[in-house]
Amino acid sequence: MTDKNGFFDLSKTTLSRRTALKGLAAGAGLTLAPGFVRYSQAQSSAPIKIGFQSHRTGIGAAYGRWYEKTTAAAVKAINAAGGINGRQVEVIIEDDGTDPGRGAEVVGKFATQHKTDIVFGTLFSHVVIGSAPAAGENKMPYFVVSEGHHVASTKLNRYVFQPGITDVKSQIQSMAPWIAANAGKKVTQIFPDFAFGYDHRDYLPPALKAQGAEVIAQIAIPPTESSFTKYFPQIPAETEVIYHVMVGPAVLTFVKELGEFYGSNRPQLFGFIDSLEATDINSPGLEFLDGSHFWEGSPRYAQPDDSEAQKAYRAAVGIDDNGAAVGDPKDVSTAAHMFGCWETLYVVKKAMEDAGYKGPEDRAKLVEATEALTAFAEGPEHPQGPKTFNGKIHQCFGIQNISKVEGGKLKVVHKTKIEDGLYEAEGDYTTQAL
């Protein structure tokens, strides 16, 4: 069941057994989280409580809505299969407004008020960075579904993990050879002026240099900008490739204005799908994107070689072959990122089972059990593809997709290998005290 904004209407309060049962009996219309159990067993049968830090509002709202849908689908599947350690999973949602200060408050609220077992779900890197200290202070395992290098840099703390989606440094390193060989050697970057964008700023130049290419200009744009034409004259005339990655509600405006600026005579375009997430690629004004290429984590459009696991995942989260909500072609998903929610929850399930997790008193055991994981096989739990996990830096490594815009769809033309994105660890979280 969703609210008027399309979000799953999940509980924001922790209900006692007596209050919940009383409300149900009275028909009070209480809205309970997916997986809520009408139980009368011992306390050990209480649900596993996951605090979902959602971008319901702010520049990340489109992601937040689809992260919620994917999370609800994963929880439904996990609960139908018996839950975690024989216990059902309950999700409690708080809106962080895509704001780092509010994000820290939400993590604290989950720890002290809702008393959740973990916190999960955050995407935007500045929110992750702002929230991570609260996770460490409360000794709260914090499983993020972001992309920034902030977790793997080991600059956060031992309670922060990113096990279900790869990071920008790995993504760029994987794709740089293809960009240099197929798109061009002289590259201008356009990126958002905050932490996620800075990862692109910092890691693309050395990755391209290693392939005999170079970044000749870098243009940072505030993520809240609503018009972009004034930035485009900064692009050098000798640019062969525009590498763009933008975020937020104005991404459609960004790509439209880029097309209007260049017309039919443009450099090659290589974009992160962030510049087009939750946006219909067939929107008027986007015709100029035909022939350009995008990075995708998990492809938006169904591909001819999709695995059975991928097909089952897409059906479970409710997206059609075009990556839009089933029954609503205008509701385009954030497919390239939201799979990370599904996969991260299955990592949490595995780690909790390995740890024999019983409750918050076992959070340290959960941290250690997660750090002990090494690999995730492609399949129903990990439909995007196989992954390795480095417990020292709390980061997974997987495949990347490069897709070409053809006939108003995205067609995968290249898949990287896991080893293409591996890099040396910059530190070791396991040396930190719990």
Side-chain angles (χ1 to χ4, degrees):
M1 182 171 63
T2 58
D3 63 17
K4 64 181 181 180
N5 296 314
F7 285 98
F8 279 81
D9 192 9
L10 307 180
S11 175
K12 288 191 177 183
T13 59
T14 302
L15 302 177
S16 70
R17 172 178 172 272
R18 177 175 296 178
T19 301
L21 293 177
K22 180 180 179 181
L24 288 167
L30 293 175
T31 304
L32 304 179
F36 179 81
V37 184
R38 300 172 179 86
Y39 58 88
S40 57
Q41 301 98 316
Q43 184 61 36
S44 61
S45 296
I48 296 287
K49 293 194 294 185
I50 292 178
F52 185 80
Q53 185 182 9
S54 179
H55 302 331
R56 280 195 158 184
T57 55
I59 61 173
Y63 290 94
R65 187 162 55 84
W66 277 99
Y67 269 36
E68 281 193 32
K69 289 185 178 184
T70 306
T71 296
V75 168
K76 180 179 179 181
I78 289 170
N79 284 341
I84 298 175
N85 286 331
R87 298 162 62 188
Q88 296 285 281
V89 176
E90 174 186 348
V91 176
I92 301 170
I93 292 182
E94 291 282 356
D95 177 19
D96 64 16
T98 326
D99 175 81
R102 190 167 166 185
E105 293 174 359
V106 165
V107 171
K109 189 174 182 179
F110 281 133
T112 61
Q113 179 177 325
H114 297 304
K115 300 187 186 302
T116 60
D117 293 279
I118 67 168
V119 176
F120 156 85
T122 326
L123 168 66
F124 273 63
S125 56
H126 64 309
V127 181
V128 173
I129 293 170
S131 302
E137 291 163 7
N138 288 284
K139 298 187 182 298
M140 172 65 77
Y142 185 40
F143 292 84
V144 303
V145 189
S146 185
E147 286 180 289
H149 185 58
H150 34 274
V151 177
S153 70
T154 63
K155 294 178 181 177
L156 299 182
N157 63 70
R158 194 171 177 182
Y159 283 86
V160 187
F161 292 87
Q162 188 162 258
I165 191 169
T166 56
D167 72 313
V168 170
K169 182 176 180 178
S170 179
Q171 293 165 359
I172 288 173
Q173 183 175 300
S174 296
M175 293 180 295
W178 190 95
I179 295 172
N182 296 278
K185 303 291 188 182
K186 295 183 178 181
V187 181
T188 289
Q189 281 184 267
I190 302 176
F191 58 91
D193 192 10
F194 73 109
F196 169 68
Y198 302 156
D199 281 347
H200 288 268
R201 176 197 66 191
D202 295 343
Y203 297 118
L204 183 65
L208 286 177
K209 185 177 181 180
Q211 303 301 321
E214 63 176 328
V215 173
I216 61 174
Q218 294 182 316
I219 303 171
I221 299 179
T224 54
E225 186 65 88
S226 58
S227 182
F228 306 88
T229 303
K230 62 185 178 184
Y231 296 96
F232 298 145
Q234 300 177 36
I235 301 172
E238 63 270 30
T239 297
E240 296 174 352
V241 184
I242 295 176
Y243 174 103
H244 61 96
V245 50
M246 293 303 298
V247 296
V251 290
L252 179 59
T253 302
F254 170 77
V255 287
K256 278 186 174 180
E257 290 183 354
L258 186 63
E260 292 168 356
F261 181 80
Y262 276 107
S264 59
N265 185 23
R266 61 163 172 78
Q268 291 295 314
L269 299 176
F270 186 94
F272 264 54
I273 199 64
D274 306 59
S275 296
L276 211 62
E277 279 282 59
T279 300
D280 185 354
I281 203 168
N282 291 298
S283 299
L286 299 189
E287 296 82 5
F288 81 101
L289 288 175
D290 194 63
S292 67
H293 293 84
F294 284 91
W295 164 87
E296 293 187 280
S298 188
R300 176 186 299 183
Y301 288 83
Q303 302 295 312
D305 61 349
D306 277 348
S307 67
E308 291 304 311
Q310 177 68 209
K311 293 175 183 177
Y313 157 76
R314 293 174 71 95
V317 299
I319 57 173
D320 62 20
D321 285 352
N322 294 324
V326 173
D328 186 358
K330 295 182 179 181
D331 187 5
V332 179
S333 72
T334 58
H337 298 83
M338 68 194 199
F339 73 90
C341 293
W342 180 283
E343 298 205 12
T344 301
L345 283 172
Y346 276 102
V347 172
V348 170
K349 179 179 184 293
K350 169 65 173 170
M352 283 187 168
E353 291 171 348
D354 287 353
Y357 184 87
K358 295 180 180 179
E361 68 277 8
D362 289 334
R363 285 174 180 156
K365 290 182 181 179
L366 174 58
V367 168
E368 292 176 325
T370 308
E371 291 171 342
L373 299 173
T374 58
F376 313 126
E378 182 176 8
E381 298 179 355
H382 299 280
Q384 189 266 353
K387 294 173 181 65
T388 61
F389 183 71
N390 187 332
K392 292 184 177 180
I393 61 174
H394 293 188
Q395 178 64 54
C396 75
F397 295 85
I399 64 169
Q400 313 300 334
N401 298 283
I402 295 176
S403 299
K404 184 178 182 180
V405 181
E406 288 185 342
K409 294 187 176 183
L410 286 157
K411 177 183 178 182
V412 176
V413 296
H414 179 70
K415 286 182 178 288
T416 70
K417 299 177 181 178
I418 291 176
E419 51 266 33
D420 295 338
L422 297 177
Y423 51 76
E424 292 295 323
E426 298 166 34
D428 185 354
Y429 282 122
T430 67
T431 64
Q432 297 179 8
L434 284 166

